[in-house]
Each structure stands twice: as structure tokens, then as C-alpha cells.
Amino acid sequence: VPDLIAMFQQGGPGGYYAPEALGAIPEAEPALLAALKDPNERVKAGAARTLVRYFPEAAKKAGVAEGAGAPE
């Protein structure tokens, strides 16, 4: 999980797919919740999308609305 979060934060091809991989790992939920506070808006948006898709109850508790992080 820490390596996937690092890839996500760094961006690039690995960072593009990291949120989907994190969504498949139940233990990633706390790391995704923490990523909502990342200073990088792309990281926050990706974490929000992943939480809504894979961890909807955690997203709801964190105040993340459905559709959060969606590209405009």
C-alpha cells in the first residue's frame, strides 16, 4: 500500500493506475482517507474517486460526495 500511494503521488503511468490497484486492497482504505489531505489536488481527487467507487461507506463518513474528483 505505501508503494502504491507513493506512485500515485508521483504521477506518471504508474500513478495513473495506482488508485485502481488501491481500490482492490481493503487495507488501503486508511491510506486513501489520508490522501484526501494531500496538498496535490490530483492526489486528493484520485483518492476521492477511489473511495467513492470501492469504499463508499468510508467515503460517506469522510464527507466525500458521489462524483467527487470527477474530471470537469
Side-chain angles (χ1 to χ4, degrees):
V1 171
D3 290 339
L4 286 170
I5 291 289
M7 287 174 62
F8 183 30
Q9 291 170 326
Q10 291 171 4
Y16 180 81
Y17 294 104
E20 292 297 315
L22 288 165
I25 304 170
E27 295 81 10
E29 183 181 313
L32 289 164
L33 290 168
L36 293 174
K37 297 177 182 160
D38 194 280
N40 183 321
E41 291 297 322
R42 182 186 51 77
V43 171
K44 285 194 277 195
R49 280 192 307 274
T50 303
L51 283 165
V52 167
R53 182 171 181 185
Y54 294 100
F55 306 102
E57 288 301 314
K60 188 184 244 183
K61 287 181 185 177
V64 177
E66 191 168 328
E72 296 182 14

Coordinates of all heavy atoms in Angstrom, one line a residue:
V1 N 0.8 -1.2 0.0 CA 0.0 0.0 0.0 C 0.9 1.3 0.0 O 0.6 2.2 -0.8 CB -1.0 0.0 1.2 CG1 -1.7 1.3 1.3 CG2 -2.0 -1.1 1.0
P2 N 1.9 1.4 0.8 CA 2.7 2.6 0.8 C 3.4 2.8 -0.5 O 3.4 4.0 -1.0 CB 3.8 2.3 1.9 CG 3.1 1.4 2.8 CD 2.3 0.5 1.9
D3 N 3.8 1.8 -1.2 CA 4.4 2.0 -2.5 C 3.4 2.5 -3.6 O 3.7 3.3 -4.4 CB 5.1 0.7 -3.0 CG 6.3 0.3 -2.2 OD1 6.9 1.2 -1.6 OD2 6.7 -0.9 -2.2
L4 N 2.2 1.9 -3.5 CA 1.2 2.4 -4.4 C 0.8 3.9 -4.2 O 0.6 4.6 -5.1 CB -0.1 1.5 -4.3 CG 0.1 0.1 -5.0 CD1 -1.1 -0.7 -4.6 CD2 0.2 0.3 -6.5
I5 N 0.7 4.2 -2.9 CA 0.4 5.7 -2.6 C 1.6 6.5 -3.1 O 1.3 7.6 -3.7 CB 0.3 5.8 -1.0 CG1 -1.0 5.2 -0.6 CG2 0.3 7.3 -0.7 CD1 -2.3 5.8 -1.0
A6 N 2.8 6.1 -2.9 CA 3.9 6.9 -3.4 C 3.9 7.0 -5.0 O 4.1 8.1 -5.5 CB 5.2 6.2 -3.0
M7 N 3.5 5.9 -5.7 CA 3.4 6.0 -7.1 C 2.3 7.0 -7.5 O 2.4 7.8 -8.4 CB 3.1 4.6 -7.7 CG 4.2 3.7 -7.7 SD 3.7 2.0 -8.2 CE 3.2 2.3 -9.9
F8 N 1.2 6.9 -6.8 CA 0.0 7.8 -7.0 C 0.5 9.2 -6.9 O 0.2 10.1 -7.7 CB -1.0 7.4 -6.0 CG -2.3 8.1 -6.1 CD1 -2.8 8.6 -7.3 CD2 -3.1 8.3 -5.0 CE1 -4.0 9.2 -7.4 CE2 -4.3 8.9 -5.1 CZ -4.8 9.4 -6.3
Q9 N 1.2 9.6 -5.8 CA 1.6 10.9 -5.6 C 2.6 11.4 -6.6 O 2.7 12.6 -6.9 CB 2.2 11.0 -4.2 CG 1.2 10.9 -3.1 CD 1.7 10.7 -1.7 OE1 2.8 10.2 -1.5 NE2 1.0 11.2 -0.7
Q10 N 3.4 10.5 -7.1 CA 4.5 10.9 -8.1 C 3.9 11.1 -9.5 O 4.5 11.8 -10.3 CB 5.6 9.8 -8.2 CG 6.4 9.8 -6.9 CD 7.3 8.6 -6.9 OE1 7.4 7.9 -7.9 NE2 8.0 8.4 -5.8
G11 N 2.7 10.5 -9.8 CA 2.1 10.7 -11.1 C 2.8 9.7 -12.1 O 3.3 8.7 -11.8
G12 N 2.6 10.1 -13.4 CA 3.1 9.2 -14.5 C 2.3 8.0 -14.7 O 1.2 7.9 -14.1
P13 N 2.7 7.1 -15.5 CA 1.9 5.9 -15.9 C 1.5 5.1 -14.6 O 0.4 4.7 -14.5 CB 2.8 5.1 -16.8 CG 3.7 6.1 -17.4 CD 3.9 7.1 -16.3
G14 N 2.5 4.9 -13.7 CA 2.2 4.1 -12.5 C 1.2 4.8 -11.6 O 0.3 4.2 -11.1
G15 N 1.3 6.1 -11.5 CA 0.4 6.9 -10.7 C -1.0 6.9 -11.3 O -2.0 7.0 -10.5
Y16 N -1.1 6.8 -12.6 CA -2.4 6.8 -13.2 C -3.2 5.5 -12.8 O -4.5 5.6 -12.6 CB -2.3 6.8 -14.7 CG -3.6 6.8 -15.5 CD1 -4.3 8.0 -15.7 CD2 -4.1 5.6 -16.1 CE1 -5.5 8.0 -16.3 CE2 -5.3 5.6 -16.7 CZ -6.0 6.8 -16.9 OH -7.2 6.8 -17.6
Y17 N -2.6 4.4 -12.7 CA -3.3 3.1 -12.4 C -3.3 2.8 -10.9 O -4.0 1.9 -10.4 CB -2.6 2.0 -13.1 CG -2.9 2.1 -14.6 CD1 -1.8 2.5 -15.5 CD2 -4.1 1.8 -15.2 CE1 -2.1 2.6 -16.8 CE2 -4.4 2.0 -16.5 CZ -3.3 2.4 -17.3 OH -3.6 2.5 -18.7
A18 N -2.5 3.5 -10.1 CA -2.4 3.2 -8.7 C -3.7 3.3 -7.9 O -4.0 2.4 -7.1 CB -1.3 4.1 -8.0
P19 N -4.6 4.3 -8.2 CA -5.9 4.3 -7.5 C -6.7 3.1 -7.7 O -7.3 2.5 -6.7 CB -6.6 5.5 -8.0 CG -5.5 6.4 -8.5 CD -4.4 5.5 -9.0
E20 N -6.7 2.5 -8.9 CA -7.5 1.3 -9.2 C -6.9 0.1 -8.4 O -7.6 -0.7 -7.9 CB -7.5 1.0 -10.7 CG -8.3 2.0 -11.5 CD -9.7 2.1 -11.1 OE1 -10.4 1.0 -11.0 OE2 -10.3 3.2 -11.0
A21 N -5.6 0.1 -8.4 CA -5.0 -1.0 -7.6 C -5.3 -0.9 -6.1 O -5.6 -1.9 -5.5 CB -3.5 -1.0 -7.8
L22 N -5.2 0.3 -5.6 CA -5.5 0.6 -4.2 C -7.0 0.2 -3.9 O -7.3 -0.3 -2.8 CB -5.3 2.0 -3.8 CG -3.8 2.4 -3.8 CD1 -3.7 3.9 -3.8 CD2 -3.2 1.8 -2.5
G23 N -7.9 0.4 -4.8 CA -9.3 0.0 -4.6 C -9.5 -1.4 -4.4 O -10.5 -1.9 -3.8
A24 N -8.6 -2.3 -4.9 CA -8.7 -3.7 -4.8 C -8.1 -4.2 -3.5 O -8.2 -5.4 -3.2 CB -8.0 -4.4 -6.0
I25 N -7.6 -3.3 -2.7 CA -6.9 -3.7 -1.4 C -7.7 -3.1 -0.2 O -7.6 -1.9 0.0 CB -5.4 -3.2 -1.4 CG1 -4.7 -3.7 -2.6 CG2 -4.7 -3.7 -0.1 CD1 -3.3 -3.1 -2.8
P26 N -8.4 -4.0 0.5 CA -9.2 -3.4 1.6 C -8.3 -2.6 2.6 O -8.8 -1.7 3.2 CB -9.7 -4.7 2.3 CG -9.8 -5.7 1.2 CD -8.6 -5.4 0.3
E27 N -7.1 -3.0 2.8 CA -6.2 -2.3 3.8 C -5.8 -0.9 3.3 O -5.2 -0.2 4.1 CB -4.9 -3.2 4.0 CG -5.2 -4.5 4.7 CD -5.6 -5.6 3.7 OE1 -5.6 -5.4 2.5 OE2 -6.1 -6.6 4.3
A28 N -6.1 -0.6 2.1 CA -5.8 0.7 1.5 C -6.7 1.8 2.0 O -6.4 3.0 1.8 CB -5.7 0.7 0.0
E29 N -7.8 1.5 2.6 CA -8.8 2.5 2.9 C -8.2 3.6 3.8 O -8.4 4.8 3.5 CB -10.0 1.8 3.7 CG -11.1 2.8 4.0 CD -12.2 2.1 4.8 OE1 -12.6 1.0 4.3 OE2 -12.6 2.6 5.8
P30 N -7.5 3.3 4.9 CA -6.9 4.4 5.7 C -5.9 5.3 4.9 O -5.9 6.5 5.1 CB -6.2 3.7 6.8 CG -6.7 2.3 6.9 CD -7.2 2.0 5.5
A31 N -5.1 4.7 4.0 CA -4.2 5.5 3.2 C -4.9 6.4 2.3 O -4.5 7.5 2.0 CB -3.2 4.6 2.5
L32 N -6.0 5.9 1.7 CA -6.8 6.8 0.8 C -7.5 7.9 1.6 O -7.6 9.0 1.1 CB -7.9 5.9 0.1 CG -7.3 5.0 -1.0 CD1 -8.3 3.9 -1.4 CD2 -6.8 5.8 -2.2
L33 N -8.0 7.6 2.8 CA -8.6 8.7 3.6 C -7.5 9.7 3.9 O -7.8 10.9 3.9 CB -9.2 8.1 4.9 CG -10.4 7.3 4.7 CD1 -10.8 6.5 5.9 CD2 -11.6 8.1 4.2
A34 N -6.3 9.3 4.2 CA -5.2 10.3 4.5 C -4.9 11.1 3.2 O -4.5 12.2 3.3 CB -4.0 9.5 5.0
A35 N -5.0 10.4 2.1 CA -4.6 11.1 0.8 C -5.6 12.2 0.5 O -5.3 13.1 -0.3 CB -4.6 10.1 -0.3
L36 N -6.8 12.2 1.1 CA -7.7 13.3 0.9 C -7.2 14.7 1.5 O -7.6 15.7 1.1 CB -9.0 13.0 1.7 CG -9.9 11.9 1.1 CD1 -11.1 11.6 2.0 CD2 -10.3 12.2 -0.3
K37 N -6.1 14.6 2.3 CA -5.5 15.8 2.9 C -4.2 16.1 2.1 O -3.5 17.1 2.5 CB -5.2 15.6 4.3 CG -6.5 15.4 5.1 CD -6.3 15.1 6.6 CE -7.6 14.9 7.2 NZ -7.5 14.2 8.5
D38 N -3.9 15.4 1.1 CA -2.6 15.7 0.3 C -2.7 17.1 -0.3 O -3.8 17.5 -0.7 CB -2.5 14.6 -0.8 CG -1.1 14.6 -1.4 OD1 -0.8 15.5 -2.2 OD2 -0.3 13.8 -1.0
P39 N -1.6 17.8 -0.3 CA -1.6 19.2 -0.9 C -1.8 19.1 -2.5 O -2.2 20.1 -3.0 CB -0.3 19.7 -0.6 CG 0.6 18.6 -0.2 CD -0.3 17.5 0.3
N40 N -1.6 18.0 -3.1 CA -1.7 17.9 -4.5 C -3.2 17.6 -4.8 O -3.7 16.6 -4.4 CB -0.8 16.7 -5.0 CG -0.8 16.6 -6.5 OD1 -1.9 16.7 -7.2 ND2 0.3 16.3 -7.1
E41 N -3.8 18.5 -5.6 CA -5.2 18.3 -5.9 C -5.5 17.1 -6.7 O -6.6 16.5 -6.5 CB -5.7 19.6 -6.7 CG -5.8 20.8 -5.9 CD -6.8 20.7 -4.7 OE1 -7.9 20.1 -4.9 OE2 -6.5 21.3 -3.6
R42 N -4.6 16.7 -7.6 CA -4.8 15.4 -8.4 C -4.8 14.2 -7.4 O -5.6 13.3 -7.6 CB -3.6 15.3 -9.4 CG -3.7 14.1 -10.3 CD -2.5 13.9 -11.1 NE -1.2 14.0 -10.4 CZ -0.8 13.0 -9.7 NH1 -1.4 11.8 -9.6 NH2 0.4 13.1 -9.1
V43 N -4.0 14.2 -6.4 CA -4.0 13.1 -5.5 C -5.3 13.1 -4.7 O -5.9 12.0 -4.5 CB -2.7 13.2 -4.5 CG1 -2.8 12.2 -3.4 CG2 -1.5 13.0 -5.3
K44 N -5.7 14.2 -4.2 CA -7.0 14.3 -3.5 C -8.1 13.8 -4.3 O -9.0 13.1 -3.9 CB -7.2 15.7 -3.0 CG -6.4 16.1 -1.8 CD -6.9 17.4 -1.2 CE -6.4 18.6 -1.9 NZ -6.6 19.8 -1.1
A45 N -8.2 14.3 -5.6 CA -9.3 13.9 -6.5 C -9.3 12.4 -6.7 O -10.3 11.7 -6.7 CB -9.2 14.7 -7.8
G46 N -8.1 11.8 -7.0 CA -8.0 10.4 -7.2 C -8.4 9.6 -6.0 O -9.1 8.6 -6.1
A47 N -8.0 10.0 -4.8 CA -8.4 9.4 -3.6 C -9.9 9.4 -3.4 O -10.5 8.4 -3.1 CB -7.6 10.0 -2.4
A48 N -10.5 10.6 -3.7 CA -11.9 10.7 -3.5 C -12.6 9.8 -4.5 O -13.6 9.1 -4.1 CB -12.3 12.1 -3.8
R49 N -12.2 9.7 -5.8 CA -12.9 8.8 -6.7 C -12.7 7.4 -6.3 O -13.7 6.6 -6.4 CB -12.2 9.0 -8.1 CG -12.7 10.2 -8.9 CD -12.2 10.1 -10.3 NE -10.8 9.9 -10.5 CZ -9.8 10.8 -10.5 NH1 -10.2 12.1 -10.4 NH2 -8.6 10.5 -10.7
T50 N -11.6 7.0 -5.8 CA -11.3 5.6 -5.4 C -12.2 5.2 -4.2 O -12.8 4.2 -4.1 CB -9.8 5.4 -5.2 OG1 -9.1 5.7 -6.4 CG2 -9.6 3.9 -4.8
L51 N -12.2 6.2 -3.3 CA -13.1 5.9 -2.1 C -14.5 5.7 -2.4 O -15.2 4.8 -2.0 CB -12.9 7.0 -1.1 CG -11.6 7.0 -0.3 CD1 -11.4 8.3 0.4 CD2 -11.6 5.8 0.8
V52 N -15.0 6.6 -3.3 CA -16.5 6.6 -3.7 C -16.7 5.2 -4.4 O -17.8 4.6 -4.1 CB -16.8 7.8 -4.5 CG1 -18.2 7.6 -5.2 CG2 -16.9 9.0 -3.7
R53 N -15.8 4.8 -5.2 CA -16.1 3.6 -6.0 C -15.9 2.3 -5.2 O -16.7 1.4 -5.4 CB -15.1 3.6 -7.2 CG -15.3 2.4 -8.1 CD -14.5 2.6 -9.4 NE -14.8 1.4 -10.2 CZ -14.1 1.2 -11.4 NH1 -13.2 2.0 -11.8 NH2 -14.4 0.1 -12.1
Y54 N -14.8 2.3 -4.4 CA -14.5 1.0 -3.7 C -14.8 1.0 -2.3 O -15.0 -0.1 -1.7 CB -13.0 0.7 -3.9 CG -12.7 0.4 -5.4 CD1 -12.1 1.4 -6.1 CD2 -12.9 -0.8 -5.9 CE1 -11.7 1.2 -7.5 CE2 -12.6 -1.1 -7.3 CZ -12.0 -0.1 -8.0 OH -11.7 -0.3 -9.3
F55 N -14.9 2.1 -1.6 CA -15.1 2.2 -0.2 C -16.2 3.2 0.1 O -16.0 4.2 0.7 CB -13.8 2.5 0.6 CG -12.7 1.6 0.3 CD1 -11.7 2.0 -0.6 CD2 -12.6 0.4 0.9 CE1 -10.6 1.2 -0.9 CE2 -11.5 -0.5 0.6 CZ -10.5 -0.1 -0.3
P56 N -17.4 3.0 -0.4 CA -18.5 4.0 -0.3 C -18.9 4.4 1.1 O -19.1 5.6 1.3 CB -19.7 3.4 -1.1 CG -19.4 2.0 -1.2 CD -17.9 1.8 -1.1
E57 N -18.9 3.5 2.0 CA -19.2 3.9 3.4 C -18.1 4.8 4.0 O -18.5 5.7 4.7 CB -19.4 2.6 4.2 CG -20.7 1.9 3.9 CD -21.9 2.7 4.1 OE1 -22.1 3.4 5.1 OE2 -22.8 2.7 3.1
A58 N -16.9 4.5 3.7 CA -15.8 5.3 4.3 C -15.8 6.7 3.6 O -15.6 7.7 4.3 CB -14.4 4.6 4.0
A59 N -16.1 6.7 2.3 CA -16.3 8.0 1.6 C -17.4 8.8 2.2 O -17.2 10.0 2.5 CB -16.5 7.8 0.1
K60 N -18.5 8.2 2.5 CA -19.6 8.9 3.1 C -19.3 9.5 4.4 O -19.5 10.7 4.7 CB -20.8 8.0 3.2 CG -22.1 8.6 3.6 CD -23.2 7.6 3.7 CE -24.3 7.8 2.7 NZ -25.4 6.8 2.9
K61 N -18.6 8.7 5.3 CA -18.2 9.1 6.6 C -17.2 10.2 6.5 O -17.2 11.1 7.4 CB -17.6 7.9 7.4 CG -18.7 7.0 7.9 CD -18.0 5.8 8.6 CE -19.0 4.8 9.0 NZ -18.4 3.6 9.7
A62 N -16.4 10.3 5.5 CA -15.4 11.3 5.3 C -15.9 12.6 4.7 O -15.2 13.6 4.5 CB -14.2 10.8 4.5
G63 N -17.2 12.5 4.3 CA -17.8 13.7 3.7 C -17.5 13.8 2.2 O -17.7 14.9 1.6
V64 N -17.1 12.7 1.6 CA -16.8 12.7 0.1 C -18.1 12.4 -0.6 O -18.7 11.4 -0.4 CB -15.7 11.7 -0.2 CG1 -15.5 11.7 -1.7 CG2 -14.4 12.0 0.5
A65 N -18.5 13.4 -1.4 CA -19.8 13.2 -2.2 C -19.5 12.3 -3.4 O -18.5 12.3 -4.0 CB -20.3 14.5 -2.6
E66 N -20.6 11.6 -3.8 CA -20.5 10.8 -5.0 C -20.2 11.7 -6.2 O -20.8 12.8 -6.3 CB -21.8 10.0 -5.2 CG -21.7 9.0 -6.3 CD -22.9 8.1 -6.3 OE1 -23.5 7.8 -5.3 OE2 -23.3 7.6 -7.4
G67 N -19.3 11.3 -7.0 CA -19.0 12.2 -8.2 C -17.8 13.1 -7.8 O -17.3 13.8 -8.7
A68 N -17.3 13.0 -6.6 CA -16.1 13.8 -6.2 C -14.9 13.4 -7.0 O -14.7 12.2 -7.2 CB -15.9 13.6 -4.7
G69 N -14.1 14.4 -7.3 CA -12.9 14.1 -8.1 C -13.1 13.8 -9.5 O -12.2 13.5 -10.3
A70 N -14.4 13.9 -10.0 CA -14.6 13.6 -11.4 C -14.1 14.7 -12.3 O -14.1 15.9 -11.9 CB -16.1 13.5 -11.6
P71 N -13.5 14.4 -13.4 CA -13.0 15.4 -14.3 C -14.1 16.3 -14.8 O -15.3 15.9 -15.0 CB -12.4 14.7 -15.5 CG -12.5 13.2 -15.2 CD -13.3 13.1 -13.9
E72 N -13.8 17.6 -14.9 CA -14.9 18.6 -15.3 C -14.8 18.8 -16.8 O -13.9 18.6 -17.5 CB -14.7 19.9 -14.6 CG -14.9 19.7 -13.1 CD -14.7 21.0 -12.4 OE1 -14.7 22.1 -13.0 OE2 -14.6 21.0 -11.2

